[in-house]
């Protein structure tokens, strides 16, 4: 499973929360997350095993 975080106003995609917080800034990241400006995308790789 792969999680990506996209900042909607700029369109920039980050590999994880740590990278996003480092580049945007901790307080700006939290504000953007609270205001709905961050989109967390979960994608599954073809070789991931999913058990229901």
């Amino acid at each position: 499973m792969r999680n990506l975080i996209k900042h909607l106003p700029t369109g920039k995609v980050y590999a994880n929360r740590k990278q996003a917080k480092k580049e945007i800034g901790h307080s700006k990241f939290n504000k953007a997350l609270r205001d709905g400006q961050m989109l967390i995308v979960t994608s599954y790789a073809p070789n991931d095993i999913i058990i229901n």
Side-chain angles (χ1 to χ4, degrees):
M1 180 169 59
R2 184 174 176 197
N3 290 325
L4 299 174
I5 299 175
K6 183 175 184 180
H7 189 234
L8 296 176
T10 61
K12 185 149 184 172
V13 177
Y14 302 99
N16 53 36
R17 285 179 179 255
K18 184 177 181 180
Q19 180 187 9
K21 284 186 177 186
K22 184 177 179 182
E23 291 187 25
I24 295 175
H26 186 77
S27 61
K28 288 183 181 179
F29 174 82
N30 288 339
K31 184 178 180 191
L33 191 62
R34 182 180 64 238
D35 293 343
Q37 296 177 350
M38 301 298 277
L39 178 66
I40 300 174
V41 179
T42 303
S43 63
Y44 297 96
N47 57 357
D48 283 349
I49 299 172
I50 302 171
I51 300 172
N52 289 331

